Amino acid sequence: MVSENCRRAPWMMLGALAGGLALVGLAFADSLVGVIIAWTLVQVSYNFAQGPLSAVMPDRVPLRRRGTFAALSGIGLMVGALGGQIVGSLFFNSLTAGYIVFAMFALVVLALFVVANPDYPSTKIEPEPFRLNEFLRTFWVSPLKHPDFFWAFTGRLLLYTGYFLVIGYQLFLLTDYFGVEHPEQVIPLLGILSLVGILISTVVSGPLSDRIGRRKPFVFASALVVTLALLLPWMWPDLTAWMIMTFVAGFGFGMFQAVDTALMSEVLPSAKSFAKDLGVVNIAATLPQTLAPGLAGAIVLLFGYAGLFPVAIILGILGALAVWPIKPTR
C-alpha cells in the first residue's frame, strides 16, 4: 500500500493523477495556447510518474536477469504506445471521450501496479541534507567523467528520434503521401502489425542477451533492421510498402527496446542516485516522442514527405554507432 514511508509510489500516483487531469484539460482545450499548455502539463506529469517507475529494475532486479526484465518492460512500453494508437483510432470522431478514457485508464493501471508491487520503505534510509545547488547539479552528468553513460544516452536519443520521426507522423503520411482516404480504418491494422513484430523480437532478444551476456550486437542488429525497413517506403511509396515497413521496423525496434534498458542500467554513474539517473535516461526516450512530430514537420516543409526517411535512417545508424564506445557492456 502507498504510505508516507514509501520512496517511489507516491510520486508515481501524483504523476498519474496530474497527468490524468492534464489530459482532461486537453480534451476541453479550445485554443492553440490551451492545447500547448495542456500538452506540456501532460508530458511533465506523466514523466513525473515514469522517473520513479523506471527505478524499479535497479531497485529489485538482479543484473543477470535485467535483459529479461527489460524485454518485459519494453513489451509493456510498446504495447502501450502502439495499442494506444489502435484504441485511439476508435475515438477518431470523439476525441474528448478518448482523452478522458485514457486518463482514467492510466491512473487505474498505475494504482494496481503500486498495490500489487509494494514499494520498499524508506524508514531505514537516512536522508541527506537537501541543498538546491547540489540537487540541480545532479542532473548534469559529465561526458568526460561518465562517457559510457553519455554514449548510451546519446544512442537512445538518436534511435528513438529516428524511429518516431517517421512513426509519429504516420497519420499525415497515410493521408498526404500514400493517399489513404480513411486512415482511421488503416491505423488499427498498422498498429497490430507493428505490435506483432515488436513482441516477437522482444520476447526473443531480451532473454537471449541474458544468456549470451551481450547487449551491443542486438543494438547494431536493430539499427540495421530498422534502416532496411525504412528504405522500402522511401523507394516504393505505396501503402503495401508502409505495411511491410511497419512490421519489419517494429521487429527491429523491439530488438533494441528489449536490451536498451538493461544496457542503460549497467552504465549508471552512481549506485546511490540511480533513480535520478534513470529519470535523466528517460528524457532520451520521451523527448523524441514529444519533439519528433515538430521536427518532422520542418523536414516535410523543406524536403517533402520523402525527406523523412533518409533523416530517420541516418539518425538510427548514428544511434547504433554511439553504443560502440561503451566499455562495461559487450
Side-chain angles (χ1 to χ4, degrees):
M1 296 180 64
V2 180
S3 74
E4 62 181 2
N5 294 323
C6 294
R7 300 179 65 195
R8 318 288 187 202
W11 304 102
M12 297 181 198
M13 294 308 303
L14 284 173
L17 179 59
L21 292 174
L23 272 179
V24 174
L26 183 62
F28 292 98
D30 57 1
S31 67
L32 178 60
V33 174
V35 170
I36 292 173
I37 293 174
W39 181 241
T40 301
L41 291 174
V42 167
Q43 292 295 322
V44 171
S45 300
Y46 281 122
N47 280 287
F48 210 81
Q50 178 63 29
L53 183 62
S54 64
V56 168
M57 181 165 65
D59 256 345
R60 311 177 191 182
V61 182
L63 189 65
R64 66 181 183 277
R65 301 292 295 172
R66 289 184 183 177
T68 301
F69 183 89
L72 294 174
S73 64
I75 289 174
L77 178 65
M78 299 315 298
V79 166
L82 297 171
Q85 290 183 14
I86 297 171
V87 177
S89 66
L90 301 178
F91 296 96
F92 190 80
N93 297 312
S94 183
L95 297 180
T96 299
Y99 282 127
I100 295 174
V101 168
F102 279 118
M104 295 177 60
F105 178 78
L107 183 61
V108 169
V109 169
L110 199 52
L112 291 174
F113 173 83
V114 168
V115 172
N117 298 272
D119 201 357
Y120 288 140
S122 58
T123 50
K124 296 182 180 180
I125 300 176
E126 184 177 349
E128 298 180 2
F130 179 81
R131 297 182 179 87
L132 181 60
N133 290 339
E134 293 184 5
F135 171 74
L136 294 176
R137 279 200 297 268
T138 61
F139 288 91
W140 165 249
V141 180
S142 172
L144 297 178
K145 293 182 179 179
H146 305 285
D148 295 316
F149 181 83
F150 167 77
W151 286 117
F153 180 93
T154 301
R156 173 183 279 203
L157 181 69
L158 292 170
L159 281 163
Y160 266 75
T161 301
Y163 182 76
F164 285 102
L165 189 70
V166 174
I167 299 300
Y169 223 63
Q170 176 173 255
L171 177 62
F172 300 101
L173 283 167
L174 288 174
T175 56
D176 300 338
Y177 189 62
F178 299 115
V180 178
E181 294 184 2
H182 299 285
E184 72 277 9
Q185 298 176 5
V186 179
I187 288 175
L189 175 59
L190 294 171
I192 292 172
L193 288 172
S194 184
L195 195 56
V196 170
I198 287 173
L199 289 175
I200 293 173
S201 61
T202 303
V203 168
V204 174
S205 301
L208 185 60
S209 73
D210 278 342
R211 176 168 295 185
I212 66 177
R214 297 174 70 89
R215 315 289 188 200
K216 290 182 183 179
F218 293 93
V219 175
F220 298 144
S222 69
L224 177 62
V225 172
V226 172
T227 296
L228 293 175
L230 290 174
L231 283 173
L232 190 60
W234 185 25
M235 301 176 66
W236 178 26
D238 183 80
L239 180 59
T240 302
W242 180 259
M243 288 183 173
I244 297 172
M245 184 282 297
T246 299
F247 173 80
V248 178
F251 184 91
F253 193 74
M255 189 183 304
F256 169 75
Q257 189 64 45
V259 301
D260 178 64
T261 304
L263 186 150
M264 294 297 309
S265 72
E266 296 173 13
V267 296
L268 297 178
S270 171
K272 292 177 61 179
S273 60
F274 57 76
K276 180 271 298 179
D277 293 332
L278 284 169
V280 174
V281 166
N282 189 52
I283 295 173
T286 57
L287 190 62
Q289 298 178 56
T290 304
L291 299 181
L295 177 59
I299 293 172
V300 170
L301 288 175
L302 291 172
F303 306 106
Y305 287 98
L308 292 173
F309 300 104
V311 174
I313 289 170
I314 292 171
L315 289 174
I317 293 174
L318 291 176
L321 293 177
V323 177
W324 182 263
I326 298 176
K327 297 178 182 178
T329 187
R330 297 184 297 164

